[in-house]
Amino acid sequence: MHSKYFYDERGDYIFQQIMEMEEYYLTKAEMDILSKQSGEISTVLMETASPFDLIELGAGDATKSVHLLKELLSRKADFRYLPIDISAHVISDLEEQLPAKLPGLNIIGLNGDYLDMLQEAAETADRRKVILFMGANIGNMSPAEARQFCMDLKAHMSKDDILIIGFDLKKEPKQILAAYDDANGITSAFNMNLLHRINSELDGEFNLNNFEHYASYDPESGACKSYLISLKDQVVKIGDSASISFTKNEHIFMEISQKYALNEITQLASSTGFMLHRNFFDQHEYFVDSIWKVG
Ligand code: AVI
């Protein structure tokens, strides 16, 4: 399932709660990187003197990137900020709120699919591009999809362009699993929201009590996967003409959150036409924002 379906208004709200959970270390780790190392990241971005477009894929509320934007503004970098998000209200909120927070910021929001909007951004300007793809969003693709996505990004990039990409690293399996199997059932609610959406938007008849959230982490492949498990034999009607039957314990695959080892990140960069330039880690080395250049 494409992960964009998780993020309707309710999904956005539940994901906010996930990010605040004790067990969900990812956001805090990446915040640690951006809040402490935006100076050094800016130095890398400004090594080439020419103006650039800072294009953020899946900007959300930009709480992490604000640190980088502030730093670039204070260094008088000649750049425009182009956040791209699939959600129209995310983009309008950013356009409304960021200029007040960051006086002097030149912001042009783009609402739509990452690659379509990237294409649009590339067509309207011939400046060099710095693409931000943070938040371990790449983890919500299978390794094969991630490879294809990096190749697609590369196809939209030219010499001197930079990609900053966030990965959650392989670590203690129990810590990873806990982040996706929290005691308060918030991750469960995040997944159940998909069934709720099918009920309300497609006239489905899922009984949410007949499904249970199940998360697993495989330390060998680095795949953390979540499922909804059918608690009984059941037939679920969707609209007038469709129905799905589930046997007891049958699973619905919901989401992958792939974890990476450093050598796998280097390998992903080189096999998709990039050169890994530098890695920025949080204090615990849970997470990495990796700077790739076009090779
Ligand atoms: C947005 N994405 C990186 C989150 C993740 O960690 O895979 C989505 C998420 N799903 C459940 N918890 C968080």
Side-chain angles (χ1 to χ4, degrees), residues 46-233:
M46 295 172 73
E47 263 158 21
T48 306
S50 55
F52 61 92
D53 280 341
L54 182 65
I55 304 174
E56 179 160 21
L57 310 181
D61 60 5
T63 28
K64 284 171 287 185
S65 20
V66 157
H67 292 280
L68 182 60
L69 297 172
K70 246 188 211 157
E71 186 66 36
L72 289 167
L73 287 169
S74 78
R75 291 175 180 222
K76 309 230 173 322
D78 186 355
F79 76 106
R80 303 187 304 182
Y81 177 52
L82 278 66
I84 298 179
D85 207 286
I86 196 76
S87 152
H89 82 256
V90 160
I91 293 300
S92 57
D93 285 358
L94 284 176
E95 284 186 319
E96 208 178 288
Q97 289 159 15
L98 274 191
K101 246 192 236 169
L102 301 170
L105 181 71
N106 187 347
I107 174 174
I108 304 165
L110 298 168
N111 169 220
D113 178 79
Y114 293 161
L115 293 174
D116 293 345
M117 291 301 110
L118 193 54
Q119 174 78 29
E120 194 176 308
E123 276 165 9
T124 53
D126 58 358
R127 297 159 156 235
R128 69 186 171 96
K129 290 187 281 301
V130 175
I131 299 178
L132 281 182
F133 188 44
M134 302 198 300
N137 287 323
I138 191 142
N140 298 130
M141 300 173 197
S142 70
E145 287 165 348
R147 229 176 88 80
Q148 184 58 52
F149 186 72
C150 290
M151 289 196 288
D152 291 344
L153 283 183
K154 168 73 179 22
H156 289 86
M157 296 171 72
S158 318
K159 191 180 164 290
D160 289 333
D161 288 352
I162 289 176
L163 173 63
I164 306 183
I165 180 163
F167 293 90
D168 190 19
L169 295 169
K170 285 181 173 171
K171 60 182 67 60
E172 199 202 338
K174 285 180 191 160
Q175 184 188 352
I176 292 177
L177 189 58
Y180 296 88
D181 198 19
D182 61 291
N184 294 323
I186 300 173
T187 313
S188 169
F190 183 68
N191 285 313
M192 290 288 182
N193 184 44
L194 257 294
L195 303 189
H196 179 80
R197 279 196 80 177
I198 295 173
N199 284 352
S200 61
E201 294 173 39
L202 302 174
D203 198 21
E205 294 183 4
F206 277 99
N207 179 343
L208 275 51
N209 295 320
N210 292 341
F211 290 87
E212 188 173 69
H213 167 72
Y214 176 75
S216 74
Y217 175 62
D218 171 16
E220 195 177 347
S221 65
C224 183
K225 292 184 179 175
S226 61
Y227 304 91
L228 289 175
I229 306 291
S230 174
L231 295 176
K232 56 187 227 183
D233 291 343

Side-chain angles (χ1 to χ4, degrees), residues 252-271:
I252 310 174
F253 169 65
M254 300 303 291
E255 190 185 32
I256 184 168
S257 297
Q258 180 68 34
K259 310 305 170 192
Y260 285 84
L262 283 177
N263 64 326
E264 292 165 337
I265 295 172
T266 311
Q267 159 68 22
L268 181 61
S270 60
S271 68

